[in-house]
Amino acid sequence: MERLIINGGKRLDGSVELQGSKNSVLPILAAAAATGTVSVLHNCPGLSDVDAAMKILRHIGCKTERQGHTVIIDSSCAYGSEIPDSLMREMRSSIIFLGALLARFGKASVTAPGGCEIGLRPIDLHLSALRQMGTDISETGGFLNCNCPNGLSGRHITLSFPSVGATENIMLASMGAKGETVITNAAREPEIVDLAEFLIKSGMKISGAGQSVMRISGNGRFHSAEHTVIPDRIVASTLMAGAACAGGKICIRKAEKEHLAPVIPVFETAGCRFSFGSDEITVEACGRPKRVRYLRTMPYPGFPTDSQALFMAVAATADGTSVISEKIFENRFRHVPELIKMGADIRVEDCCVAVVEGVKALHGAKVSACDLRGGSALAVAALGAQGKTVVENIFHIDRGCENFENVFAYLGADIKRAQRAGE
Ligand code: UD1
């Protein structure tokens, strides 16, 4: 098992290029399976979750090729509509393949995603929408068996919550549906807009992506498309949190300022200073972070749940008390006991509110990543901590951050990846 070893206290300085968005590329890879054509995707990050999605594509008969950050998918020869449990488990968000398989084959068989590290992640909204579009769904032995006896039909679907995954699954299923689908209370995340742009390039008609009401239609005919995946706004906030914890000045190249609009004011309140170029953001921080009185996670354009743990690492050494309320996932404070091992003073109330009393400094400790963003938060906190921190279970971090240690080492951090002693 690999781990990160970090000797904190080194100021960060330099310029790095932001990776492509994990949460964007995964549904786009699923969409590529449904086109029956060749899709060329640029800016695909090298991540274990992307590898897992490509394994699923190959399992169902697609040809895939990676050339650096470009991935080419030929789905003309795809034939399989069943994804085995072993592949479903490799990537927790593989449920987005359901809509794509239904669009392509009119049937799909996948295992129901179980509990995961940040909460139960129910898929009731996904299944309800797919049923409304004409899918019969039965569950046997942990498998969801889905069939569309009369094909998929466009419907007016109202989501009770703007779920990102459910919105994506509806968009993907719409690729194979007759008539127009209208989603009310659709998710508005930048990744939804990116998926819509790929689908439009492939032949779909979509309006309202990024707004609450989205209209989607197509004629079932697709053509080859080339697309560049948007930059990863959550990795951008990881770099911002690194600067805030360790101090320093980082230029984040190929960043999209608009996607970070919910995050930048919060880091400004914490004392970071920003300057902007046409596609780059420079963040500068020195001294102790300032407290943020109250922060709550919200669907976009609110503060992202994926950046909550990262910001908590900053608040841990702020000059006062910050209250952080997690409104999206019920189990997203698993980094808290680990931050406490590093000297943080945090108490969790009612499962979803963390009261963070800023301490003067954190100290190194042996900690364990419990999920992707929580794990990144521990590493980021360690960059500013006194002494040596060992972060274990870093496979979580590798799911979403490309070359985590190399990026921060390049910026001046004392960080390296090592095997556990004796391995
Ligand atoms: C996606 C992102 C994840 C991010 C989240 C919220 C990917 C691969 N993952 O996850 O990084 O943290 O959006 O921005 O893009 N819910 C239901 N029923 C459903 C679906 C969701 O109750 O059928 C609930 C979830 O349990 C959760 C909330 O809705 O409490 C948000 O989930 P959702 O927006 O669907 O997140 P994901 O698509 O799973």
Side-chain angles (χ1 to χ4, degrees):
M1 283 284 235
E2 290 180 325
R3 56 198 185 149
L4 289 176
I5 299 174
I6 301 160
N7 288 300
K10 300 277 188 298
R11 193 186 138 86
L12 304 180
D13 194 16
S15 166
V16 286
E17 191 174 304
L18 190 54
Q19 69 176 64
S21 163
K22 169 183 87 76
N23 287 355
S24 239
V25 74
L26 297 178
I28 292 175
L29 287 169
T35 61
T37 63
V38 177
S39 305
V40 180
L41 304 179
H42 302 293
N43 206 26
C44 287
L47 302 170
S48 54
D49 267 13
V50 175
D51 292 343
M54 286 173 65
K55 267 193 215 168
I56 292 177
L57 289 172
R58 286 193 292 275
H59 175 82
I60 62 171
C62 299
K63 290 185 186 134
T64 69
E65 189 187 330
R66 184 186 264 279
Q67 297 169 357
H69 285 120
T70 295
V71 166
I72 302 160
I73 305 111
D74 179 354
S75 62
S76 59
C77 37
Y79 54 84
S81 59
E82 199 177 312
I83 307 177
D85 189 46
S86 55
L87 290 180
M88 284 296 284
R89 277 178 191 279
E90 259 190 58
M91 184 183 62
R92 296 181 199 280
S93 50
S94 43
I95 194 67
I96 41 161
F97 274 89
L98 183 52
L101 292 177
L102 290 172
R104 179 76 192 271
F105 301 112
K107 60 179 183 174
S109 181
V110 300
T111 48
C116 85
E117 74 273 19
I118 58 172
L120 273 176
R121 287 205 170 182
I123 52 165
D124 52 319
L125 301 175
H126 303 233
L127 300 186
S128 160
L130 295 173
R131 283 195 173 103
Q132 289 174 63
M133 294 176 77
T135 313
D136 289 343
I137 304 173
S138 61
E139 193 177 342
T140 42
F143 261 88
L144 292 170
N145 300 307
C146 307
N147 276 291
C148 310
N150 303 309
L152 289 161
S153 305
R155 287 281 183 268
H156 192 144
I157 295 161
T158 300
L159 293 174
S160 57
F161 179 87
S163 155
V164 174
T167 303
E168 290 166 349
N169 247 332
I170 298 166
M171 293 167 76
L172 294 168
S174 300
M175 295 174 77
K178 287 198 191 80
E180 186 183 58
T181 296
V182 181
I183 312 175
T184 299
N185 201 22
R188 297 160 63 191
E189 270 69 1
E191 294 77 22
I192 298 289
V193 179
D194 205 28
L195 174 61
E197 283 183 4
F198 173 75
L199 292 178
I200 291 166
K201 285 177 188 164
S202 302
M204 299 286 290
K205 281 192 186 148
I206 301 180
S207 63
Q211 297 166 29
S212 286
V213 179
M214 182 168 22
R215 296 177 175 274
I216 312 153
S217 58
N219 56 14
R221 286 195 294 276
F222 300 98
H223 38 79
S224 292
E226 191 164 349
H227 182 73
T228 300
V229 174
I230 57 170
D232 196 309
R233 62 195 170 104
I234 307 303
V235 173
S237 38
T238 308
L239 289 161
M240 290 173 190
C245 286
K249 185 175 180 181
I250 303 177
C251 174
I252 308 169
R253 300 194 313 276
K254 293 204 175 164
E256 183 58 68
K257 180 185 170 195
E258 194 191 319
H259 298 170
L260 288 153
V263 165
I264 288 169
V266 178
F267 278 94
E268 278 176 333
T269 308
C272 294
R273 285 193 302 272
F274 287 88
S275 56
F276 304 98
S278 59
D279 70 345
E280 61 185 40
I281 298 176
T282 301
V283 54
E284 189 171 5
C286 61
R288 197 172 171 189
K290 298 193 172 14
R291 69 162 176 165
V292 168
R293 281 171 193 276
Y294 181 68
L295 176 68
R296 68 172 174 172
T297 62
M298 300 271 282
Y300 192 85
F303 189 88
T305 172
D306 285 352
S307 299
Q308 174 261 111
L310 296 157
F311 192 77
M312 196 182 291
V314 179
T317 58
D319 62 356
T321 306
S322 307
V323 175
I324 300 179
S325 173
E326 171 57 57
K327 293 286 186 189
I328 308 293
F329 287 105
E330 74 274 18
N331 193 13
R332 212 160 197 189
F333 283 150
R334 294 183 62 192
H335 47 282
V336 169
E338 304 303 303
L339 285 174
I340 290 172
K341 286 182 195 163
M342 298 174 72
D345 180 351
I346 306 171
R347 65 177 189 280
V348 173
E349 295 177 355
D350 300 329
C351 294
C352 63
V353 176
V355 180
V356 187
E357 311 279 359
V359 295
K360 277 204 174 131
L362 297 178
H363 54 75
K366 189 170 167 188
V367 292
S368 177
C370 299
D371 59 56
L372 163 51
R373 305 305 171 188
S376 310
L378 298 176
V380 155
L383 296 173
Q386 292 168 349
K388 174 174 148 182
T389 298
V390 176
V391 185
E392 298 194 311
N393 286 330
I394 57 170
F395 64 89
H396 287 297
I397 300 176
D398 294 335
R399 288 183 41 225
C401 298
E402 188 176 28
N403 293 327
F404 187 95
E405 71 280 13
N406 293 341
V407 169
F408 279 107
Y410 177 76
L411 291 169
D414 181 349
I415 176 171
K416 65 177 186 208
R417 182 180 291 252
Q419 296 288 326
R420 193 202 294 261
E423 286 177 352

